[in-house]
Amino acid sequence: MEIRYATEKDFNRMMEIYAYARQYMAETGNPNQWGPTNWPPEELIHDDIKAGHSYVCVENNRIVGTFYFDHGRNIEPTYAVIEEGAWTGGEDYGVVHRIAGDGSVKGTGAFCINWAYAQCGHLRIDTHGDNTVMQKLLLKLGFRKCGIIHVVEDNYPRFAYERY
């Protein structure tokens, strides 16, 4: 597998993957993270691509996964307030959002997250309380649960994880 920047030519395939991910999450006990809001919205994905923060995971010339990645100093405003815990790393970190695979290649999520970690050596990520699949993956990859954060998209708290 390889990771590359997403382009507008990838947009339709990315949206297919997000549709698959919403269905998969609903079938595995997590219908509320992306389902009710049809997350992520198309405009946001276009913005991510334009900003150079949208990536695709390619296997045998086929896009099998997609995610958002950025890194820098205090880059995620929703991470400024963390409840029932604390971040333990410094202010410079990477963040992964909107990670999804099409289910065709085992290990796509781990590959994407490990790639992002290799770019910066300090990564933060959050996930819905019902997303046990992602929670197990993050723990397997050496992340530590740090507390709870809140997002603007909905009223569901998110578990915050960190690896550095």
Side-chain angles (χ1 to χ4, degrees), residues 1-132:
M1 283 188 277
E2 66 177 285
I3 303 295
R4 67 166 171 79
Y5 284 107
T7 69
E8 283 296 329
K9 291 179 183 178
D10 302 323
F11 177 79
N12 289 337
R13 177 66 181 140
M14 293 166 67
M15 296 313 291
E16 288 173 3
I17 291 171
Y18 285 125
Y20 171 84
R22 281 190 296 275
Q23 179 181 344
Y24 176 81
M25 285 193 282
E27 291 171 357
T28 57
N30 182 22
N32 295 314
Q33 185 170 353
W34 288 357
T37 60
N38 201 35
W39 193 261
E42 291 184 1
E43 183 179 333
L44 181 60
I45 300 307
H46 287 298
D47 290 347
D48 290 349
I49 292 169
K50 287 176 193 164
H53 298 303
S54 189
Y55 294 84
V56 292
C57 181
V58 180
E59 174 77 2
N60 296 323
N61 295 315
R62 178 173 162 77
I63 297 173
V64 297
T66 185
F67 62 100
Y68 169 98
F69 170 72
D70 192 11
H71 59 93
R73 186 172 204 72
N74 295 321
I75 56 169
E76 177 52 63
T78 61
Y79 289 177
V81 176
I82 185 167
E83 301 171 349
E84 298 180 31
W87 299 112
T88 54
E91 296 174 341
D92 292 337
Y93 57 87
V95 64
V96 169
H97 290 308
R98 299 182 278 290
I99 185 167
D102 70 359
S104 69
V105 178
K106 186 171 173 53
T108 301
F111 186 84
C112 294
I113 291 169
N114 283 330
W115 177 90
Y117 179 76
Q119 306 311 300
C120 60
H122 180 195
L123 199 59
R124 293 179 179 172
I125 191 168
D126 65 89
T127 192
H128 195 282
D130 291 338
N131 195 341
T132 57

